[in-house]
Amino acid sequence: MDRRAAREIKTVRAMIEIFCAGRHGRKTLCLDCAGLLRYAEKRLALCRWGVNKPACSECTIHCYKPEMRGKIREVMRYSGPRMTLRHPVLAALHFADKKRGAGQKRKLRR
Ligand SMILES: [Zn+2]
């Protein structure tokens, strides 16, 4: 796995942890959230963009199945604003990726 994908996993994990702690009152991930993380890891590992991968929220493919997509969106909505406080470096890098992804969209064709 390349470094960018590894970092994306770290970001997703941090976001799910914040979400689970805040919404489910857990110190370690509950079964549901652990399942979501495993799913996210698997999708990322199979992502067809490879090193050119845009941030998942900017991605044009939407490889998540609807149920998981709903869950991860909820996590992002809840944890996104909180990431800046808890994990400023990861958050900054994530938003940098987003910007880069937006620029790339025009160049990449499906
Ligand atoms: Zn949870």
Side-chain angles (χ1 to χ4, degrees):
M1 191 188 288
D2 74 296
R3 282 174 53 207
R4 230 170 90 69
R7 201 181 70 221
E8 191 117 16
I9 288 286
K10 252 169 104 178
T11 307
V12 171
R13 181 179 299 138
M15 282 182 149
I16 294 177
E17 279 169 3
I18 292 171
F19 176 80
C20 194
R23 281 291 181 81
H24 304 152
R26 304 287 292 244
K27 278 198 179 123
T28 52
L29 293 183
C30 67
L31 269 181
D32 245 28
C33 293
L36 179 62
L37 176 60
R38 263 200 310 278
Y39 183 80
E41 282 176 349
K42 210 159 44 177
R43 297 315 316 175
L44 202 54
L46 296 172
C47 181
R48 59 172 264 192
W49 294 106
V51 290
N52 291 320
K53 195 185 129 358
C56 283
S57 58
E58 302 292 318
C59 189
T60 47
I61 294 176
H62 300 312
C63 62
Y64 282 43
K65 63 183 177 187
E67 184 203 347
M68 288 305 190
R69 189 164 152 73
K71 278 189 191 178
I72 201 78
R73 282 178 73 106
E74 207 186 326
V75 167
M76 297 288 162
R77 220 177 11 246
Y78 181 87
S79 303
R82 289 163 176 84
M83 277 295 282
T84 325
L85 296 171
R86 294 276 297 275
H87 302 278
V89 177
L90 275 181
L93 289 169
H94 185 66
F95 289 124
D97 284 349
K98 263 188 164 173
K99 263 191 203 152
R100 215 177 60 154
Q104 245 170 18
K105 234 186 234 173
R106 266 171 267 126
K107 274 178 268 159
L108 285 166
R109 265 185 297 157
R110 264 199 263 189

